[in-house]
Amino acid sequence: AKLKNSFGVKTIHSEYGMTELLSQAYSTGDGVFHCPPWMKVLVRDEDDPFHIQTKGRGAINIIDLANIYSCSFIATDDVGEVYEDGSFTIIGRLDNSDIRGCSLLAL
């Protein structure tokens, strides 16, 4: 709200990504992120890291096929929800995980 008021705009666009990835997901509003075709976001159960789903709520896993000569699979400590169409939202971080990146803005 502060940024929208300060810049006099109706929406603020955002990105989700990390230094380990070559790709980012983008939001054009409401905190819903969309991936490029070569990037996929999955959710894993917080208590069972082998229980991975293509939709639902849980800890975020990312597959980024743009990372040809590095790690294409990242298990983050971010918590989110992945929707039927592959879009997703970020809700926060797992308990007792390190604060990283843009999550520092919440402090």
Side-chain angles (χ1 to χ4, degrees):
K2 269 187 176 180
L3 289 174
K4 287 193 277 188
N5 288 336
S6 296
F7 289 108
V9 296
K10 293 181 181 179
T11 59
I12 299 290
H13 302 281
S14 183
E15 70 175 11
Y16 177 83
M18 54 201 65
T19 25
E20 295 88 356
L21 300 174
L22 291 176
S23 303
Q24 288 81 37
Y26 292 94
S27 172
T28 56
D30 299 323
V32 179
F33 293 93
H34 301 272
C35 298
W38 56 87
M39 181 181 172
K40 185 170 187 169
V41 174
L42 306 167
V43 287
R44 70 180 185 279
D45 188 301
E46 294 177 32
D47 298 318
D48 180 2
F50 296 108
H51 185 235
I52 299 172
Q53 299 180 68
T54 57
K55 62 182 179 180
R57 188 174 176 157
I60 298 289
N61 284 3
I62 300 172
I63 301 170
D64 183 6
L65 297 180
N67 287 25
I68 297 172
Y69 299 109
S70 64
C71 184
S72 297
F73 306 93
I74 305 283
T76 76
D77 283 346
D78 293 333
V79 176
E81 186 167 355
V82 178
Y83 303 103
E84 191 84 30
D85 66 355
S87 64
F88 67 98
T89 56
I90 298 297
I91 299 164
R93 300 273 294 158
L94 291 173
D95 288 344
N96 302 315
S97 63
D98 291 336
I99 297 173
R100 297 198 183 272
C102 294
S103 61
L104 292 171
L105 293 175
L107 294 178

